[in-house]
Amino acid sequence: MQELTMTRPDDWHLHLRDGAAMADVLPYTARQFARAIVMPNLKPPVTTTAAAQAYRQRILDALPAGLDFEPLMTLYLTDNTSPEEIRRAKASGIVHGVKLYPAGATTNSDSGVTSLARCAAALQAMQDVDLPLLIHGEVTHQHVDVFDREKFFIDEQLIPLRRQFPDLRVVFEHITTKEAAQYVSSAEGRIGATITAHHLLYNRTRLFTDAEGRTGMRPHFYCLPVLKRETHRQALLTAATSGSPRFFLGTDSAPHPKGEKESACGCAGCFTAASAIEMYAMAFEEAGALDKLEAFASHHGPDFYGLPRNAGRVRLRRAEWRLPAEIKFGATSLVPLGAGELLPWTLAA
């Protein structure tokens, strides 16, 4: 196949940051995606509808002329989120989910949830008004291996949560394991999952080798949940290309300054917005399933969220191009995932 035309996709998990840095990365998303679920883990986090409305306006103000893009806002769930705030968020029409970060699980999660029991009233309100819960699914226990935190979360947190709130619409975000893929495929009720391009393309070996196999720590491949074994990558590929409406595109594109990644304690997150749909095309082609990409990227997400599918179309063509080594990011720069590497697919202008 030399060309692929499809419904314009959406990104159901995106980090944009704020200010001048946001203005630098926003166009990369807007050139590909019609809409995106925007994560609320700013400093301070977006915990109220008023803050979400203000953040949304800043995003729209930063959007370059000629680009058509709709930010779909989220709230940051805390131990103190009130049912009244949940109802206010639903009534606003601009908040499309509430994000659960277990405290300390990832970037800017210090204000996250310490115990789901403390959120019971807010979760009940979310179930009542049908506002989705978006989950970073990892436990943070020190005794649990970092590669096993997602698997433990399913048994310890997710299954009891969904038993208590059976009608709550849940998105298990950026799943990384065969256990998560199997759970989402077989569980009863209203659950979906996003899968990133980097978890479809790479396993944990890439954290410690380059594209030619030379050893050395690769900080720009470090994300949370962390890349897993090849058996898990293959399970994710199978899920993403299965045609199941429970799996859909979410890049989890997460920009960080170069210096904060290349440091003694580098932060987690991969910036993929510069090449997201092209990377998904690579993964689906590897699986011999390019015919399944449109449903995964453009249909399943809006269907799950109860939104209309996009009317516009995009075209991918087979043409090699090289990812830039660095991208401007406010007063500094960032390194995109796969910097300097050749990609076989190009999103046509």
Side-chain angles (χ1 to χ4, degrees):
M1 185 180 293
Q2 299 301 309
E3 189 171 291
L4 177 64
T5 301
M6 56 189 282
T7 304
R8 190 177 178 195
D10 300 302
D11 184 351
W12 299 97
H13 186 155
L14 175 69
H15 298 269
L16 283 175
R17 310 309 183 202
D18 210 346
M22 174 184 69
D24 285 332
V25 298
L26 175 60
Y28 292 101
T29 289
R31 78 177 183 90
Q32 304 176 66
F33 300 109
R35 298 168 292 199
I37 287 281
V38 180
M39 292 293 102
N41 59 332
L42 303 182
K43 290 185 176 181
V46 180
T47 57
T48 67
T49 305
Q53 290 169 326
Y55 185 27
R56 179 178 185 271
Q57 191 59 53
R58 295 197 298 276
I59 294 169
L60 293 174
D61 290 344
L63 191 65
L67 288 180
D68 178 24
F69 173 74
E70 180 183 3
L72 307 176
M73 308 312 294
T74 60
L75 296 190
Y76 188 113
L77 186 66
T78 74
D79 291 350
N80 301 312
T81 301
S82 69
E84 292 75 23
E85 193 62 56
I86 297 299
R87 288 190 282 269
R88 195 156 37 242
K90 179 67 176 182
S92 73
I94 62 111
V95 175
H96 295 269
V98 179
K99 181 62 181 272
L100 165 62
Y101 288 108
T106 189
T107 302
N108 297 347
S109 63
D110 294 345
S111 301
V113 171
T114 62
S115 169
L116 284 173
R118 296 181 177 179
C119 305
L123 292 166
Q124 182 63 57
M126 290 168 61
Q127 179 172 262
D128 292 343
V129 301
D130 192 20
L131 190 60
L133 176 66
L134 319 180
I135 295 177
H136 181 113
E138 292 188 286
V139 299
T140 56
H141 314 316
Q142 287 299 308
H143 67 275
V144 176
D145 190 289
V146 68
F147 291 99
D148 295 329
R149 289 180 174 182
E150 183 175 280
K151 180 174 64 174
F152 273 71
F153 182 87
I154 295 171
D155 292 330
E156 291 187 9
Q157 302 289 335
L158 184 56
I159 291 174
L161 168 72
R162 298 190 64 241
R163 188 180 297 124
Q164 184 177 359
F165 302 101
D167 295 324
L168 180 63
R169 193 163 14 161
V170 170
V171 181
F172 195 173
E173 295 196 311
H174 49 43
I175 63 169
T176 64
T177 60
K178 63 182 179 181
E179 289 85 2
Q182 290 165 354
Y183 176 77
V184 172
S185 294
S186 60
E188 295 182 359
R190 310 170 74 195
I191 186 167
T194 58
I195 307 178
T196 76
H198 42 292
H199 287 104
L200 291 174
L201 286 172
Y202 307 113
N203 62 37
R204 67 185 188 179
T205 298
R206 197 57 195 276
L207 280 168
F208 310 107
T209 62
D210 66 8
E212 285 73 43
R214 294 181 293 245
T215 57
M217 185 64 190
R218 308 292 162 176
H220 301 288
F221 284 80
Y222 172 54
C223 57
L224 287 172
V226 71
L227 297 172
K228 302 296 195 300
R229 290 180 181 273
E230 176 66 9
T231 52
H232 296 293
R233 188 183 78 88
Q234 289 295 331
L236 296 179
L237 266 179
T238 298
T241 60
S242 67
S244 168
R246 291 189 168 188
F247 300 103
F248 39 93
L249 184 155
T251 65
D252 192 22
S253 182
H256 292 281
K258 178 181 178 181
E260 292 184 16
K261 293 286 289 180
E262 299 176 2
S263 71
C265 187
C267 50
C270 300
F271 181 73
T272 57
S275 56
I277 196 63
E278 295 96 337
M279 284 184 160
Y280 280 106
M282 288 171 59
F284 274 66
E285 184 171 39
E286 175 193 331
L290 274 172
D291 60 317
K292 301 291 182 63
L293 179 60
E294 181 178 31
F296 174 83
S298 310
H299 297 166
H300 296 167
D303 292 352
F304 187 87
Y305 274 87
L307 296 171
R309 296 177 182 179
N310 296 316
R313 309 281 287 175
V314 297
R315 180 167 59 91
L316 285 161
R317 59 187 177 87
R318 191 178 296 280
E320 282 191 341
W321 64 286
R322 192 175 299 278
L323 274 163
E326 293 186 27
I327 288 171
K328 184 176 181 298
F329 188 51
T332 180
S333 66
L334 62 80
V335 177
L337 188 71
E341 295 183 13
L342 283 172
L343 300 184
W345 288 95
T346 299
L347 182 66

